[in-house]
mmCIF file of all heavy atoms in Angstrom:
data_model
loop_
_atom_site.group_PDB
_atom_site.id
_atom_site.type_symbol
_atom_site.label_atom_id
_atom_site.label_comp_id
_atom_site.label_asym_id
_atom_site.label_seq_id
_atom_site.Cartn_x
_atom_site.Cartn_y
_atom_site.Cartn_z
ATOM 1 N N GLN A 1 -33.992 112.520 41.624
ATOM 2 C CA GLN A 1 -33.146 111.604 40.860
ATOM 3 C C GLN A 1 -32.463 110.579 41.762
ATOM 4 O O GLN A 1 -32.206 109.454 41.344
ATOM 5 C CB GLN A 1 -32.084 112.405 40.092
ATOM 6 C CG GLN A 1 -32.650 113.309 39.008
ATOM 7 C CD GLN A 1 -33.336 112.524 37.904
ATOM 8 O OE1 GLN A 1 -32.829 111.490 37.482
ATOM 9 N NE2 GLN A 1 -34.478 113.025 37.451
ATOM 10 N N ASP A 2 -32.182 110.980 42.992
ATOM 11 C CA ASP A 2 -31.493 110.093 43.918
ATOM 12 C C ASP A 2 -32.469 109.045 44.462
ATOM 13 O O ASP A 2 -33.278 109.316 45.349
ATOM 14 C CB ASP A 2 -30.890 110.902 45.074
ATOM 15 C CG ASP A 2 -30.109 110.027 46.045
ATOM 16 O OD1 ASP A 2 -29.985 108.809 45.781
ATOM 17 O OD2 ASP A 2 -29.627 110.563 47.062
ATOM 18 N N MET A 3 -32.389 107.840 43.923
ATOM 19 C CA MET A 3 -33.337 106.789 44.301
ATOM 20 C C MET A 3 -33.093 106.225 45.690
ATOM 21 O O MET A 3 -33.875 105.411 46.178
ATOM 22 C CB MET A 3 -33.290 105.655 43.273
ATOM 23 C CG MET A 3 -33.780 106.049 41.906
ATOM 24 S SD MET A 3 -33.821 104.638 40.769
ATOM 25 C CE MET A 3 -34.490 105.433 39.299
ATOM 26 N N GLU A 4 -32.015 106.611 46.330
ATOM 27 C CA GLU A 4 -31.729 106.126 47.677
ATOM 28 C C GLU A 4 -32.073 107.162 48.741
ATOM 29 O O GLU A 4 -31.851 106.932 49.920
ATOM 30 C CB GLU A 4 -30.236 105.760 47.795
ATOM 31 C CG GLU A 4 -29.811 104.611 46.883
ATOM 32 C CD GLU A 4 -30.549 103.319 47.206
ATOM 33 O OE1 GLU A 4 -30.798 103.059 48.393
ATOM 34 O OE2 GLU A 4 -30.885 102.585 46.268
ATOM 35 N N SER A 5 -32.637 108.278 48.338
ATOM 36 C CA SER A 5 -32.918 109.354 49.286
ATOM 37 C C SER A 5 -34.278 109.169 49.946
ATOM 38 O O SER A 5 -35.171 108.501 49.412
ATOM 39 C CB SER A 5 -32.880 110.707 48.581
ATOM 40 O OG SER A 5 -33.955 110.813 47.657
ATOM 41 N N GLU A 6 -34.438 109.772 51.120
ATOM 42 C CA GLU A 6 -35.731 109.769 51.816
ATOM 43 C C GLU A 6 -36.797 110.448 50.963
ATOM 44 O O GLU A 6 -37.944 110.008 50.905
ATOM 45 C CB GLU A 6 -35.595 110.506 53.153
ATOM 46 C CG GLU A 6 -34.675 109.837 54.163
ATOM 47 C CD GLU A 6 -35.331 108.652 54.831
ATOM 48 O OE1 GLU A 6 -36.579 108.607 54.852
ATOM 49 O OE2 GLU A 6 -34.606 107.774 55.321
ATOM 50 N N GLU A 7 -36.417 111.534 50.295
ATOM 51 C CA GLU A 7 -37.356 112.297 49.481
ATOM 52 C C GLU A 7 -37.902 111.454 48.337
ATOM 53 O O GLU A 7 -39.076 111.575 47.968
ATOM 54 C CB GLU A 7 -36.695 113.567 48.938
ATOM 55 C CG GLU A 7 -36.358 114.612 49.985
ATOM 56 C CD GLU A 7 -35.113 114.260 50.783
ATOM 57 O OE1 GLU A 7 -34.391 113.298 50.394
ATOM 58 O OE2 GLU A 7 -34.858 114.930 51.803
ATOM 59 N N TYR A 8 -37.054 110.603 47.778
ATOM 60 C CA TYR A 8 -37.494 109.755 46.671
ATOM 61 C C TYR A 8 -38.595 108.799 47.130
ATOM 62 O O TYR A 8 -39.643 108.677 46.493
ATOM 63 C CB TYR A 8 -36.320 108.959 46.103
ATOM 64 C CG TYR A 8 -36.732 107.995 45.008
ATOM 65 C CD1 TYR A 8 -36.828 108.425 43.685
ATOM 66 C CD2 TYR A 8 -37.047 106.668 45.303
ATOM 67 C CE1 TYR A 8 -37.219 107.553 42.686
ATOM 68 C CE2 TYR A 8 -37.448 105.799 44.305
ATOM 69 C CZ TYR A 8 -37.525 106.237 42.999
ATOM 70 O OH TYR A 8 -37.935 105.375 42.020
ATOM 71 N N TYR A 9 -38.366 108.134 48.238
ATOM 72 C CA TYR A 9 -39.347 107.168 48.734
ATOM 73 C C TYR A 9 -40.643 107.856 49.162
ATOM 74 O O TYR A 9 -41.741 107.320 48.982
ATOM 75 C CB TYR A 9 -38.748 106.354 49.881
ATOM 76 C CG TYR A 9 -37.769 105.314 49.400
ATOM 77 C CD1 TYR A 9 -36.402 105.580 49.397
ATOM 78 C CD2 TYR A 9 -38.204 104.086 48.925
ATOM 79 C CE1 TYR A 9 -35.491 104.629 48.936
ATOM 80 C CE2 TYR A 9 -37.302 103.133 48.462
ATOM 81 C CZ TYR A 9 -35.951 103.412 48.471
ATOM 82 O OH TYR A 9 -35.059 102.482 48.005
ATOM 83 N N ASP A 10 -40.523 109.042 49.723
ATOM 84 C CA ASP A 10 -41.723 109.793 50.097
ATOM 85 C C ASP A 10 -42.530 110.186 48.864
ATOM 86 O O ASP A 10 -43.760 110.103 48.855
ATOM 87 C CB ASP A 10 -41.339 111.044 50.887
ATOM 88 C CG ASP A 10 -40.919 110.726 52.315
ATOM 89 O OD1 ASP A 10 -41.227 109.607 52.784
ATOM 90 O OD2 ASP A 10 -40.292 111.581 52.964
ATOM 91 N N ALA A 11 -41.840 110.618 47.800
ATOM 92 C CA ALA A 11 -42.524 111.034 46.576
ATOM 93 C C ALA A 11 -43.238 109.853 45.926
ATOM 94 O O ALA A 11 -44.393 109.975 45.472
ATOM 95 C CB ALA A 11 -41.518 111.660 45.602
ATOM 96 N N VAL A 12 -42.564 108.713 45.866
ATOM 97 C CA VAL A 12 -43.186 107.518 45.289
ATOM 98 C C VAL A 12 -44.402 107.102 46.104
ATOM 99 O O VAL A 12 -45.444 106.713 45.570
ATOM 100 C CB VAL A 12 -42.161 106.369 45.216
ATOM 101 C CG1 VAL A 12 -42.846 105.053 44.858
ATOM 102 C CG2 VAL A 12 -41.091 106.690 44.175
ATOM 103 N N SER A 13 -44.302 107.208 47.427
ATOM 104 C CA SER A 13 -45.412 106.853 48.304
ATOM 105 C C SER A 13 -46.623 107.749 48.051
ATOM 106 O O SER A 13 -47.761 107.284 48.002
ATOM 107 C CB SER A 13 -44.982 106.955 49.768
ATOM 108 O OG SER A 13 -46.059 106.679 50.631
ATOM 109 N N ILE A 14 -46.387 109.041 47.867
ATOM 110 C CA ILE A 14 -47.476 109.982 47.601
ATOM 111 C C ILE A 14 -48.189 109.623 46.303
ATOM 112 O O ILE A 14 -49.422 109.619 46.223
ATOM 113 C CB ILE A 14 -46.938 111.422 47.543
ATOM 114 C CG1 ILE A 14 -46.507 111.887 48.941
ATOM 115 C CG2 ILE A 14 -47.984 112.380 46.980
ATOM 116 C CD1 ILE A 14 -45.776 113.206 48.955
ATOM 117 N N LYS A 15 -47.417 109.295 45.266
ATOM 118 C CA LYS A 15 -48.021 108.952 43.981
ATOM 119 C C LYS A 15 -48.842 107.672 44.085
ATOM 120 O O LYS A 15 -49.951 107.576 43.542
ATOM 121 C CB LYS A 15 -46.929 108.809 42.922
ATOM 122 C CG LYS A 15 -46.339 110.137 42.453
ATOM 123 C CD LYS A 15 -45.254 109.921 41.429
ATOM 124 C CE LYS A 15 -44.714 111.249 40.906
ATOM 125 N NZ LYS A 15 -45.664 111.906 39.997
ATOM 126 N N ARG A 16 -48.328 106.698 44.804
ATOM 127 C CA ARG A 16 -49.067 105.442 44.952
ATOM 128 C C ARG A 16 -50.337 105.648 45.776
ATOM 129 O O ARG A 16 -51.382 105.045 45.499
ATOM 130 C CB ARG A 16 -48.173 104.387 45.585
ATOM 131 C CG ARG A 16 -47.129 103.846 44.621
ATOM 132 C CD ARG A 16 -46.247 102.799 45.248
ATOM 133 N NE ARG A 16 -45.391 102.168 44.251
ATOM 134 C CZ ARG A 16 -44.379 101.364 44.527
ATOM 135 N NH1 ARG A 16 -44.090 101.094 45.780
ATOM 136 N NH2 ARG A 16 -43.658 100.826 43.572
ATOM 137 N N GLN A 17 -50.255 106.483 46.791
ATOM 138 C CA GLN A 17 -51.444 106.783 47.585
ATOM 139 C C GLN A 17 -52.490 107.496 46.729
ATOM 140 O O GLN A 17 -53.691 107.274 46.883
ATOM 141 C CB GLN A 17 -51.059 107.641 48.786
ATOM 142 C CG GLN A 17 -50.328 106.887 49.883
ATOM 143 C CD GLN A 17 -49.900 107.778 51.031
ATOM 144 O OE1 GLN A 17 -50.394 108.889 51.174
ATOM 145 N NE2 GLN A 17 -48.970 107.300 51.833
ATOM 146 N N GLY A 18 -52.028 108.341 45.797
ATOM 147 C CA GLY A 18 -52.954 109.025 44.903
ATOM 148 C C GLY A 18 -53.709 108.057 44.022
ATOM 149 O O GLY A 18 -54.938 108.142 43.882
ATOM 150 N N LEU A 19 -52.988 107.098 43.444
ATOM 151 C CA LEU A 19 -53.649 106.086 42.623
ATOM 152 C C LEU A 19 -54.580 105.219 43.461
ATOM 153 O O LEU A 19 -55.652 104.819 43.007
ATOM 154 C CB LEU A 19 -52.607 105.207 41.925
ATOM 155 C CG LEU A 19 -51.880 105.820 40.732
ATOM 156 C CD1 LEU A 19 -50.883 104.828 40.153
ATOM 157 C CD2 LEU A 19 -52.860 106.257 39.658
ATOM 158 N N GLY A 20 -54.183 104.937 44.696
ATOM 159 C CA GLY A 20 -55.052 104.178 45.589
ATOM 160 C C GLY A 20 -56.338 104.923 45.896
ATOM 161 O O GLY A 20 -57.417 104.331 45.954
ATOM 162 N N LEU A 21 -56.229 106.243 46.075
ATOM 163 C CA LEU A 21 -57.415 107.060 46.319
ATOM 164 C C LEU A 21 -58.365 107.014 45.131
ATOM 165 O O LEU A 21 -59.584 106.864 45.288
ATOM 166 C CB LEU A 21 -56.996 108.506 46.605
ATOM 167 C CG LEU A 21 -58.132 109.524 46.692
ATOM 168 C CD1 LEU A 21 -59.051 109.217 47.870
ATOM 169 C CD2 LEU A 21 -57.578 110.944 46.808
ATOM 170 N N VAL A 22 -57.817 107.126 43.926
ATOM 171 C CA VAL A 22 -58.643 107.085 42.718
ATOM 172 C C VAL A 22 -59.371 105.748 42.615
ATOM 173 O O VAL A 22 -60.572 105.691 42.310
ATOM 174 C CB VAL A 22 -57.771 107.331 41.469
ATOM 175 C CG1 VAL A 22 -58.559 107.043 40.197
ATOM 176 C CG2 VAL A 22 -57.267 108.764 41.451
ATOM 177 N N ARG A 23 -58.655 104.672 42.874
ATOM 178 C CA ARG A 23 -59.284 103.347 42.831
ATOM 179 C C ARG A 23 -60.373 103.229 43.895
ATOM 180 O O ARG A 23 -61.457 102.675 43.644
ATOM 181 C CB ARG A 23 -58.207 102.283 43.049
ATOM 182 C CG ARG A 23 -58.740 100.858 43.131
ATOM 183 C CD ARG A 23 -59.191 100.322 41.804
ATOM 184 N NE ARG A 23 -59.791 99.008 41.945
ATOM 185 C CZ ARG A 23 -59.099 97.869 41.977
ATOM 186 N NH1 ARG A 23 -57.774 97.891 41.912
ATOM 187 N NH2 ARG A 23 -59.731 96.718 42.079
ATOM 188 N N LEU A 24 -60.107 103.751 45.091
ATOM 189 C CA LEU A 24 -61.104 103.710 46.158
ATOM 190 C C LEU A 24 -62.361 104.481 45.768
ATOM 191 O O LEU A 24 -63.484 104.011 45.989
ATOM 192 C CB LEU A 24 -60.518 104.288 47.448
ATOM 193 C CG LEU A 24 -61.487 104.389 48.638
ATOM 194 C CD1 LEU A 24 -61.967 103.013 49.076
ATOM 195 C CD2 LEU A 24 -60.828 105.112 49.805
ATOM 196 N N VAL A 25 -62.191 105.645 45.177
ATOM 197 C CA VAL A 25 -63.341 106.446 44.730
ATOM 198 C C VAL A 25 -64.188 105.631 43.746
ATOM 199 O O VAL A 25 -65.421 105.604 43.833
ATOM 200 C CB VAL A 25 -62.861 107.761 44.085
ATOM 201 C CG1 VAL A 25 -63.993 108.440 43.324
ATOM 202 C CG2 VAL A 25 -62.321 108.703 45.164
ATOM 203 N N GLY A 26 -63.530 104.967 42.804
ATOM 204 C CA GLY A 26 -64.270 104.152 41.848
ATOM 205 C C GLY A 26 -65.014 103.011 42.510
ATOM 206 O O GLY A 26 -66.177 102.726 42.184
ATOM 207 N N GLU A 27 -64.377 102.355 43.470
ATOM 208 C CA GLU A 27 -65.015 101.230 44.159
ATOM 209 C C GLU A 27 -66.173 101.696 45.041
ATOM 210 O O GLU A 27 -67.189 101.006 45.168
ATOM 211 C CB GLU A 27 -63.981 100.480 45.001
ATOM 212 C CG GLU A 27 -62.881 99.797 44.198
ATOM 213 C CD GLU A 27 -63.363 98.591 43.420
ATOM 214 O OE1 GLU A 27 -64.490 98.124 43.678
ATOM 215 O OE2 GLU A 27 -62.602 98.101 42.560
#
């Protein structure tokens, strides 16, 4: 919930990397 925490930014990064992986697989 804390959008200013290190954990928040790490979690968002993981999710974005996951979507990037899916797009890469398709390409």
